[in-house]
Amino acid sequence: MDGPAGTASRVIIDPAIETVTHLVIEPKHWLGVGRLVPLDLVDTTEGGLSLRCTVVEDLPPADRAGHHQFRVVVVARVKCVPGELLTITSLNTRGIPLTGSQLAERYAAIGDGFDAGDADVVCCQEVFTYWHLRLLVRRMRSFRQVSYWRAPFGPAGGLVTFSRRPVSGTAYRRFGRPPRAPGVPRRSRFQAWLKGALVTRLARPELCVINTHPVANYDGDWSEANRFYPLHRAQFAVLARVVNEAGPRAVVCGDFNLARESNLFGEFTAATGLADAFAGACPPTFRAEYLPPGAAPHCIDFILTAAEVKADSAGLVFAEKKEPLGYVSDHIGLRAQLSLTPRQ
């Protein structure tokens, strides 16, 4: 900037994505025409805002900028907040056995619930086919950004991330060929081959959202002696590399198929520095009603945050039955409000 630019008098909101896109900066003492400033050129500073441009040369006049298609909100003054806020949810969407599961009706209830909610980002697992995907997209119309990686029959790994915030990029990282694991069924080895992590980068705020769903452990035993342990150890090693490559502004969500109290979960969080949004207090997320008699339920779904992301609050979604359907999934969904450390 060449000097004090003036006063932020209005914000411009794109109603399609419910996101602030511009500020209107009025010159000091209200002399001259206000200028329309894209949010990408605005930085927060201690006690105010700064612009990465020259007002006169680089910015269009606010009254000729064509923002009649957007919603204008008049503000008395702009207050700086300590960090950017974002609400994220995660749910394994299918779960319940197909026979008599009322899958289309359950997906409609899930989509309607998210569309009526306040989440900015929704991470879904077990969206296995494009039919499943269409069911959700039709109900979640306020989520204009739908991220997934194309595979022959449906989203790769059954992973889809919906966002009300702008998305700058999407990638899919396969976990790779599963190692030898005596006693593991061929079906599980095939499923393990298809598993991976969906990496979605948000443009505003700058955040890497990692959606994942490692292979299922049908034994409920996460010790090193268990037959599924080699598969999980290999997959979480790859996931740890993905997380560390993402940097300090990242959040990892999904059905981990790994108990919170297992040694492997502790090793994974130690290797990545991720923090549990629930601080270890999340109840079991796989419903006891769908376990074999005598089996204990565990917390196997997580929202984990990296160094520059803090969970201000956390809670459950779709925890209760939705009549006449009953439970919409055999998993309970998770929700967290996140604050991001401001970038200097």
Side-chain angles (χ1 to χ4, degrees):
M1 286 179 58
D2 297 329
T7 303
S9 64
R10 287 168 285 171
V11 296
I12 310 299
I13 299 176
D14 184 342
I17 55 177
E18 288 295 322
T19 299
V20 176
T21 60
H22 297 76
L23 298 181
V24 175
I25 303 296
E26 302 286 355
K28 281 198 136 187
H29 310 299
W30 300 93
L31 298 176
V33 179
R35 300 284 173 165
L36 197 64
V37 184
L39 209 60
D40 294 342
L41 299 180
V42 180
D43 291 323
T44 58
T45 61
E46 186 174 353
L49 303 172
S50 66
L51 308 181
R52 296 194 304 275
C53 59
T54 59
V55 175
V56 174
E57 295 178 1
D58 297 342
L59 302 174
D63 60 353
R64 296 201 301 264
H67 59 264
H68 57 279
Q69 298 177 349
F70 298 87
R71 190 163 80 237
V72 181
V73 179
V74 179
V75 295
R77 62 177 181 175
V78 175
K79 179 182 178 182
C80 290
V81 296
E84 297 165 283
L85 301 179
L86 180 138
T87 300
I88 192 166
T89 62
S90 179
L91 178 69
N92 182 319
T93 61
R94 206 196 73 168
I96 298 169
L98 285 176
T99 304
S101 68
Q102 297 179 282
L103 185 61
E105 292 83 357
R106 288 194 296 106
Y107 260 49
I110 291 170
D112 288 344
F114 282 135
D115 202 57
D118 64 350
D120 300 291
V121 176
V122 174
C123 294
C124 294
Q125 301 90 47
E126 291 200 355
V127 185
F128 286 132
T129 70
Y130 292 116
W131 178 72
H132 290 82
L133 179 59
R134 285 193 295 270
L135 289 176
L136 290 175
V137 169
R138 288 170 184 168
R139 298 285 181 166
M140 298 174 65
R141 295 192 179 277
S142 62
F143 292 84
R144 296 302 182 93
Q145 308 291 325
V146 183
S147 299
Y148 61 95
W149 201 254
R150 292 193 67 86
F153 303 106
L159 301 172
V160 181
T161 298
F162 295 84
S163 178
R164 287 169 167 156
R165 303 291 186 94
V167 170
S168 61
T170 302
Y172 185 73
R173 180 80 170 268
R174 290 193 182 278
F175 290 143
R177 181 172 182 155
R180 289 179 56 84
V184 171
R186 289 184 179 180
R187 179 180 178 183
S188 292
R189 287 187 58 84
F190 176 73
Q191 291 173 340
W193 179 271
L194 301 176
K195 297 289 187 177
L198 178 68
V199 182
T200 302
R201 291 194 175 272
L202 304 186
R204 291 192 304 274
E206 293 181 18
L207 179 68
C208 186
V209 178
I210 301 172
N211 184 1
T212 192
H213 184 208
V215 69
N217 179 333
Y218 296 103
D219 298 339
D221 172 12
W222 291 274
S223 68
E224 291 188 30
N226 183 260
R227 56 180 177 162
F228 288 98
Y229 184 84
L231 299 185
H232 270 170
R233 181 178 57 190
Q235 292 189 343
F236 278 94
V238 176
L239 183 59
R241 290 195 292 271
V242 173
V243 172
N244 290 328
E245 290 168 2
R249 272 200 166 197
V251 58
V252 186
C253 302
D255 170 9
F256 281 36
N257 278 314
L258 185 69
R260 181 178 54 216
E261 58 269 22
S262 65
N263 289 337
L264 192 54
F265 180 76
E267 293 170 5
F268 171 72
T269 54
T272 56
L274 294 172
D276 183 1
F278 286 78
C282 185
T285 57
F286 189 85
R287 302 183 192 277
E289 294 90 335
Y290 299 97
L291 288 171
H298 294 270
C299 174
I300 60 174
D301 298 79
F302 298 95
I303 297 177
L304 307 177
T305 59
E308 292 186 7
V309 185
K310 177 186 175 185
D312 295 330
S313 64
L316 307 178
V317 296
F318 296 112
E320 306 298 330
K321 290 183 177 180
K322 190 173 182 64
E323 300 302 342
L325 296 173
Y327 294 121
V328 298
S329 173
D330 54 9
H331 286 252
I332 296 173
L334 305 181
R335 174 188 183 278
Q337 185 178 68
L338 310 178
S339 60
L340 283 63
T341 302
R343 288 282 174 88
Q344 299 299 320

